Amino acid sequence: MIDPADLKHCEDSIRTGSYSFHAASKLLPARVRDPALALYAFCRLTDDAVDLTHDKSAAVLMLGERLDLIYRGQPRNAPCDRAFAAVVDEFEMPRTLPEALLEGMAWDAMGRRYETLSGVYDYSARVAAAVGVMMAVLMRVRDPHALARACDLGVAMQLTNIARDVGEDAAEGRVYLPLQWMTEVGLDVDEFLARPQPSPSIRRLTQKLLADANRLYFRSEPGLAELPFSCRPGIFAARHIYAAIGREVRRADYDNITRRAYTSKGQKLGWLIWSAAQAMVASVMPRSAVLYGKPLSECAYLVEATATRRPSDNPWGEGRAGEIIAILAQLEARERARRGATLEQYRREAI
């Protein structure tokens, strides 16, 4: 399905760019691991394209063009694009899912901030839950209850990332904590970004965010038991490795400004072993009622797009083209305005 050379390129990019996923992927069967590596490599490409460039709007617009070519069956001549195109074709990947990821990247490029926890969920649905649902598709799972729990896991992981990276994000002028929370503890956003400190207020907000992440980690677990047996250890491992990052933040007394939490290779190995055992136990336990809980409202559209079978003449659906086009149009307008301002400044300096 995927050219071996393209697959090797994808694995190399994941090995150096996403240690936690690379460790967890070792427990996945090859039929899932290989397309998962292609998926994560493409996701990593989108993340890096926005994070590692000053021209974020142009990067998102370029990624939109690449994604469109993939769904036309004419991927750009690059290993990640070719590999992901093969995955899209083989698994009938709903276009809504990678478009959701692209939308999240667009929000980053626009410097969007989130007033409430629901807004943070909206963002997390796009940059993390969508990836969790795509992983379920690779496992041939489209049951809506299992997909809802995959969304819970994705959002929990993203909340953990946000809690860990508050200091790094502040250094880039970004804040993902709910603005309403910051106001409630008397934190001015602009003052915090100008002088980020591990204050008692930031520590409390970090603790609160990680508590919500832990709630979602536990809510996700009944869904893991619905996955194919051979896939369960790898996903349990991803769940535990990410949750362990949150515990490292707690161990540092919630200082996410002067420190960056990480897990050691030994810790990852321990979670891999425990996850294999937990997958066995999950196989003999009765289904939990939590499995049937509604998805987070912010993630419901991902579940609906994936659980609903598409007509045979349109196997991947149309996605949310209107909303994505509107966001990309905003970015394009901003990009033209920026270039115009740069050109005008150049002319004035020339005169």
Side-chain angles (χ1 to χ4, degrees):
M1 181 182 67
I2 303 173
D3 183 276
D6 291 343
L7 182 62
K8 184 179 185 306
H9 177 91
C10 293
E11 183 171 10
D12 290 343
S13 69
I14 292 299
R15 183 182 292 112
T16 58
S18 183
Y19 300 113
S20 295
F21 174 77
H22 190 262
S25 71
K26 296 295 186 182
L27 294 183
L28 291 172
R31 71 177 188 279
V32 176
R33 182 178 63 249
D34 290 352
L37 289 171
L39 166 63
Y40 265 76
F42 188 79
C43 294
R44 188 82 227 173
L45 180 152
T46 63
D47 197 32
D48 289 346
V50 176
D51 282 348
L52 302 181
T53 179
H54 295 295
D55 200 350
K56 299 182 186 301
S57 298
V60 173
L61 291 169
M62 178 270 293
L63 288 168
E65 294 171 359
R66 292 173 75 164
L67 186 60
D68 188 55
L69 288 171
I70 286 171
Y71 273 86
R72 290 183 189 177
Q74 302 170 335
R76 183 175 171 180
N77 189 26
C80 288
D81 296 60
R82 292 192 299 264
F84 187 55
V87 170
V88 166
D89 183 59
E90 172 69 18
F91 294 91
E92 295 187 354
M93 184 69 69
R95 184 166 178 162
T96 294
L97 302 179
E99 279 186 344
L101 178 63
L102 181 63
E103 187 176 15
M105 298 298 106
W107 288 3
D108 274 335
M110 297 167 73
R112 184 177 290 200
R113 297 174 182 176
Y114 306 99
E115 187 67 29
T116 64
L117 181 61
S118 177
V120 178
Y121 283 173
D122 275 328
Y123 173 70
S124 301
R126 286 154 178 80
V127 300
V131 180
V133 176
M134 284 192 275
M135 283 294 298
V137 170
L138 300 188
M139 299 173 198
R140 311 287 184 183
V141 173
R142 290 183 184 260
D143 174 75
H145 303 299
L147 296 177
R149 304 289 74 82
C151 288
D152 290 341
L153 181 57
V155 173
M157 289 177 170
Q158 185 60 29
L159 296 184
T160 301
N161 283 338
I162 291 171
R164 177 192 61 191
D165 296 340
V166 169
E168 290 185 7
D169 289 332
E172 297 291 331
R174 299 184 299 192
V175 60
Y176 293 98
L177 293 171
L179 301 184
Q180 189 179 80
W181 288 11
M182 299 184 76
T183 300
E184 288 172 355
V185 297
L187 276 174
D188 180 270
V189 176
D190 293 328
E191 289 181 4
F192 169 71
L193 291 176
R195 292 177 297 278
Q197 296 293 331
S199 66
S201 295
I202 281 294
R203 293 175 195 262
R204 285 200 300 273
L205 296 188
T206 301
Q207 182 179 16
K208 186 176 180 179
L209 192 67
L210 286 174
D212 196 63
N214 286 334
R215 176 183 69 86
L216 291 172
Y217 280 126
F218 286 112
R219 206 170 90 130
S220 73
E221 285 198 358
L224 274 60
E226 299 302 304
L227 303 177
F229 178 78
S230 59
C231 299
R232 293 174 198 169
I235 307 305
F236 268 114
R239 174 255 188 268
H240 288 302
I241 290 170
Y242 268 85
I245 293 172
R247 285 192 291 276
E248 291 301 313
V249 174
R250 182 181 64 190
R251 189 170 288 119
D253 195 22
Y254 301 103
D255 178 3
N256 47 17
I257 307 296
T258 66
R259 305 182 185 183
R260 189 177 197 273
Y262 65 92
T263 54
S264 67
K265 290 183 178 179
Q267 287 174 307
K268 288 185 176 69
L269 178 60
W271 286 120
L272 293 176
I273 295 171
W274 167 244
S275 297
Q278 191 175 18
M280 293 288 293
V281 172
S283 301
V284 297
M285 295 294 290
R287 282 190 171 95
S288 167
V290 176
L291 173 66
Y292 304 105
K294 291 183 179 180
L296 292 170
S297 59
E298 297 83 359
C299 297
Y301 81 99
L302 300 172
V303 174
E304 181 180 356
T306 307
T308 304
R309 303 304 302 180
R310 273 85 42 214
S312 60
D313 60 342
N314 185 19
W316 301 303
E318 293 297 331
R320 295 166 61 250
E323 295 177 45
I324 302 299
I325 289 171
I327 290 173
L328 294 182
Q330 291 180 45
L331 280 176
E332 192 168 8
R334 285 180 48 169
E335 180 67 9
R336 285 198 302 268
R338 184 190 66 80
R339 289 176 180 173
T342 302
L343 181 58
E344 181 62 25
Q345 182 180 1
Y346 174 79
R347 287 174 177 169
R348 289 177 180 177
E349 291 175 353
I351 293 174

